[in-house]
Amino acid sequence: MAKDKPSIPKGTRDFLPVEVARRNYIFNTIRNVYQLYGFKPIETPAMEHLATLMGKYGEEGDRLIFKILNSGDFLSGLPDDVLQSKQPAKIGARICEKALRYDLTVPFARYVVQHQHNITFPFRRYQIQPVWRADKPQKGRYREFFQCDGDIIGNDSMINEVELVNIIDDVFYRLGIDVIIKINNRKILAGIVEKTGYADKFIVFTTIIDKLEKAGIEKVSQELARAGIGGDAIETLKPLLQMQAGNNDKINYLRELLKGVDVGMEGVNEVVEVLDMLKEVKPSSEVDLDVSLARGLDYYTSTIIEVKSKDVAIGSVCGGGRYDDLTGVFGMEGLSGVGISFGAERIYDVMLEKDLFPEKIETFTQLLIVNFGKKEQNYCLSIAKELRGQGVQCEIYPEHAKMKKQMQYADKNNIPFVLIVGEEEMKSGRLSLKNMKTGEQVVVGKEEVGRSVLNSSES
Amino acid sequence: MAKDKPSIPKGTRDFLPVEVARRNYIFNTIRNVYQLYGFKPIETPAMEHLATLMGKYGEEGDRLIFKILNSGDFLSGLPDDVLQSKQPAKIGARICEKALRYDLTVPFARYVVQHQHNITFPFRRYQIQPVWRADKPQKGRYREFFQCDGDIIGNDSMINEVELVNIIDDVFYRLGIDVIIKINNRKILAGIVEKTGYADKFIVFTTIIDKLEKAGIEKVSQELARAGIGGDAIETLKPLLQMQAGNNDKINYLRELLKGVDVGMEGVNEVVEVLDMLKEVKPSSEVDLDVSLARGLDYYTSTIIEVKSKDVAIGSVCGGGRYDDLTGVFGMEGLSGVGISFGAERIYDVMLEKDLFPEKIETFTQLLIVNFGKKEQNYCLSIAKELRGQGVQCEIYPEHAKMKKQMQYADKNNIPFVLIVGEEEMKSGRLSLKNMKTGEQVVVGKEEVGRSVLNSSES
C-alpha cells in the first residue's frame, strides 16, 4: 500500500488510553448495577447469518446492515443472470451469507430461541457489546458503537418495569448524571387514537408525535393533519401532548378522557401500578409520566421508557419498553418481556461536558522507578516485583537516560510518584519518593513505598 | 426468513452467562497484571481499511481476511471488464473497502503511526479485543476469537523482555496454571545457519524447525535435507535441536559453537542478559532456553518467547518476541519493540480441564427474595434496595408463584440464598434466610441479611 498517513474507516474510532479508561468506567458501572439486580451476562458473535438480520429493522435498516463477503470464490454460487442484472441488493444477498450485528435485540431473540433449553425463565440478561450500522456518520453518530442492554423475558409482571427503572436510577446516580425518567404506555396512546376516532392511524400517529420535542407542537399538528387526522381530534390532542402537571393530575385527566376505552384504561392502570411500586423504593431521579412519549420502535406494546439528562441537551441517554413478542419471528411464540438500553456514547459526552469522570481513572502507572544504570536497575527489579505484589502499578524506566528525560516521561504519562534509587539509596535501603504533583520529596524505607503510593491514590 | 431453528455462522460462538463469567475472569486477570506493569489500554475499530490489512499476513493470510461489502451501490465503481473477468480476488478488492481486523499487531502499528504525536515513547500498551479469520473451523480454532496483546515499543533495552516474562509468570501464577516459559533468540538461529553454511536458508530453516514438536526430529531432518541443507549441517543441528540440559550448559555449548559468528554471539549475549536479570526477580515458572524454538512469524528479529502448559497438551498459551521494525510499512521507520500475546481460548480450555476457575464466579444472583403477593412484594422492594446498596446481588421473584416453583428457580440459577418474607416476617421484622446449599434456615433481623449473605460469599 502507499505510505499515506494511515487512517481508519469513517464513522469508526480509535480509543486512546484515557478514553478506554473512561469508557470502561461507564461500562463497569452499568455492569455492576445489572449484576446487583441479578442480571446475567451473555455475548453473541459479531457476525450473524444475514437471514437472521434481514427484514427485522425495516427497509431502511436492511440497507444499513454491513454485509460480509463470502470467503473463497464468492461468485461460484451466483447465477450469470443475477450477475448481469447488476442489482446491488440482489447480488449482495447472493455473495454475502453473513453480516455484522445491527443491534443486540435481534441477536438476543435468536439466542433465546437457540438456547431455550439452557435458559430458566424468567430470564434476566444483560449484554454490553458493539454494533455496526452503515449510517451516515455525524457528530455523536458512529458506525461502530456500544449498546448496553438489559432485558427480563418470560414474565408479564409490572415489577419488572420497576426493577428496570431502579436500574436506570442507580446507574445514573452512580455516574453522577441528573436525569429525568419519562414513562408512558403504548396502550394509552392506542386509547387516545381510538378515543379521537383514528384507531387505524396508530402507527403514523406515534411516528409523528415521536418528533414533538424536536419539531414543536405546531409542526406536529400540521403533520397530523396531513396524515388525515381531523381538526377536532388535533385540538383534543394538543393540550394532552403539552400537559404540564404532576403525575397524579395527568392520570386523573387520562382516566376522564379514556373512560370506556378499554385499551387506554389498561395502559393507565399499568402506569399507575408502576408508579405506585416506585413509591416504595423512592428513586433519586424524577419519574415523569409523559403522554407525548411514543418511541419509534413498533415492537413495543405497553410500557415505554426514555431517559434524558437534565443538564445537557443531547437526546435520550437510555430507553426501553415492554414487548409482547420477542421471539415469534424465530418460531417461538408468546415470549414477552421488557428491556432497556443505555447509550454509552451519549453518556460519555454528558460526563465529559459535566466533568464527571473521577480523576484517578486517568492514572495508569502510579510510580516510575528512575533508572541509574545496570546495577541500580537490577536492584529495582526486585523492588518493582514487591510493589506490584502489593498492588502498585509501577514501571522501571527501561534505560539509563538523563534524569530530565525520565522526569519528563513521568510527567507526560501523568505518573503521580517517582522513586529515586541511586547508589546511596541502595546502600542505606532508604529510598527517595517524589510526589510529582506537590514536588515534595521524602525519604522512606523500602517497605514503606507501596503504602505511601497506595494511600495517596485512595484519597 | 424460514422458521428453521436459528443458528450462528460456523466458527463463531454464543457465550452463556457462566462462559462470559469465566472468560472475563481470564481477561480481568490479564488486564490487571498488564496494569500493574504500567501498560495502558487502547482499542481500535473492528473494521480497518482493506488496504491497511492486505499484504501483511502473507498470501494465505490475505485469503483469510473477512471483507465487508461496500454499502449502497457497491457495483457502481466496478468497471464492466473487471465484473466480466469473474475473478473473485480482483472483484472483491473493488467492491470491499473495509475488512475485519485479522490480528491486533497491524492495527496497533497503524495506530502508533496515526497517533504518534499523542504518544510518549517508550509506549507500553495492552489491547484485549476480538479478531476474525476465515480459517477452517476445528476444535479449538474459531473464526472469531480474542487476543490479549501487550507491547513495549520505542526502546531496545532487554529489561523490556524481562518485564514481559514477569507479566507472563504473574498471569499464569494468578490463574493457577503451571507453565514453562521457553525463550530463544532469532539471532542464535541466524548464527547457527551461518555456522553450518546455509545463511541464505534462514527463513526456510526456521519454518521447518518450527514444526519440530509436532513432527519429530526425523521428519524435520528429512525436510531440512529436502530444502537443500547438507547432511553434515543436519548432523550438527540434530543434537542442538534435541538438547536436554540446563540453560547454563546450553549457553556454554552455543558460545563454543558460535565462536566467531557475530550475529550468533550477539543472540547468545542477549539471552544471557535476559536470564541474568530474571535471577533478580525469581519467577515462579521455569524459564527454559530452547534452541529449537523458531516461531513462524517473519517479523521477529531477536528474542522469541513461547509458553506451554505443563499439564495440558494444547499448543502454546502465550507467545511473542522482539521486532526491529513495527511501523515501517506505514511510513514510520526504526520503531522497534517487543510484545506478547495471550491465547485466551486455549487458556480457557486449560483452566476448564484442570478445574481452575474459582467457584464463586459462577454465582450471579446471591439472594432470591420469595414473592408471597403484592403486599409482601412492596415490602420487599425496599429490602432489595437496601441490600443492593450493601452490594448484595439480589432479585425478587417477579410474581406470586408456588413456593416450589420459586425454589426451583433459585436452584436452577445456582442462587445460594433465599429470603422468605411472609406476613409473619413483615410484622416481626425478623426474616427467614435459607442457605440453599446446606438447607439450613435461620431467622435474622432485617439489617443482618446483607452481612450474612456477603460473609458467606467471601469464604
Side-chain angles (χ1 to χ4, degrees), chain A residues 1 3 5-9 12-17 20 35-38 40-49 51-52 56 66-69 71-75 80 83-84 86-88 91-92 95-96 98 100 110-111 113-115 120-122 124 132 134 144 155 157 159-160 162-163 174 273 277 280-283 328-331 333 364-365 374 377-378 381-382 385 388 391-399 409 412-413, chain B residues 1 3 5-9 12-17 20 35-38 40-49 51-52 56 66-69 71-75 80 83-84 86-88 91-92 95-96 98 100 110-111 113-115 120-122 124 132 134 143-144 155 157 159-160 162-163 174 273 277 280-283 328-331 333 364-365 374 377-378 381-382 385 388 391-399 409 412-413:
Chain A
M1 71 175 281
K3 293 189 179 181
K5 187 166 188 266
S7 64
I8 50 178
T12 70
R13 293 163 291 172
D14 282 330
F15 296 111
L16 303 176
V20 174
Q35 296 197 157
L36 281 174
Y37 285 75
K40 294 176 181 170
I42 69 157
E43 289 180 9
T44 62
M47 314 175 177
E48 295 276 350
H49 289 307
T52 301
K56 309 300 189 298
F66 278 115
K67 298 175 188 66
I68 295 165
L69 192 67
S71 0
D73 184 4
F74 58 88
L75 293 170
D80 206 52
L83 180 70
Q84 300 309 338
K86 297 188 185 170
Q87 290 180 29
I91 298 177
I95 61 179
C96 299
K98 295 178 288 293
L100 293 178
R110 193 265 311 145
Y111 174 101
V113 178
Q114 193 174 332
H115 302 282
T120 308
F121 296 97
R124 307 178 154 217
W132 294 268
E144 173 179 59
N155 188 270
S157 165
I159 194 180
N160 298 316
V162 175
E163 291 280 78
R174 283 163 195 243
E273 197 182 343
M277 278 189 266
E280 302 292 329
V281 286
K282 304 178 189 68
V329 68
F330 296 116
E333 308 286 343
F364 299 96
T365 297
K374 292 282 174 201
Q377 180 180 292
N378 278 348
L381 273 168
S382 66
K385 176 162 188 167
R388 287 160 179 161
V392 179
Q393 298 176 186
C394 65
E395 57 183 296
I396 304 170
Y397 195 82
E399 63 192 9
Y409 176 85
K412 284 192 179 164
N413 281 292
Chain B
M1 70 174 285
K3 292 189 179 178
K5 188 170 187 265
S7 64
I8 49 178
T12 69
R13 293 163 291 171
D14 281 330
F15 296 111
L16 302 176
V20 174
Q35 295 196 159
L36 282 175
Y37 285 75
K40 293 177 183 170
I42 71 158
E43 288 180 9
T44 62
M47 318 175 172
E48 295 276 348
H49 290 307
T52 301
K56 310 300 189 297
F66 278 114
K67 297 174 190 67
I68 295 165
L69 192 67
S71 358
D73 183 4
F74 58 87
L75 293 169
D80 205 54
L83 179 69
Q84 300 308 339
K86 296 188 187 172
Q87 289 180 29
I91 297 177
I95 62 179
C96 299
K98 295 178 287 294
L100 293 178
R110 191 266 310 143
Y111 174 101
V113 177
Q114 193 174 331
H115 302 281
T120 309
F121 296 97
R124 305 178 155 218
W132 293 269
R143 291 185 149 191
E144 173 179 60
N155 188 269
S157 165
I159 193 179
N160 298 317
V162 175
E163 292 279 78
R174 283 162 193 245
E273 196 181 345
M277 276 189 268
E280 301 292 329
V281 285
K282 304 178 190 67
V329 69
F330 295 116
E333 308 285 345
F364 298 97
T365 297
K374 293 281 175 204
Q377 181 181 294
N378 278 348
L381 274 168
S382 67
K385 177 162 187 170
R388 287 161 178 160
V392 179
Q393 297 176 187
C394 65
E395 56 184 297
I396 304 171
Y397 194 82
E399 63 193 7
Y409 176 85
K412 285 191 179 164
N413 282 293

Side-chain angles (χ1 to χ4, degrees), chain B residues 328-344:
Chain B
V329 69
F330 295 116
M332 188 176 175
E333 308 285 345
L335 202 59
S336 67
V338 54
I340 53 173
S341 184
F342 289 92

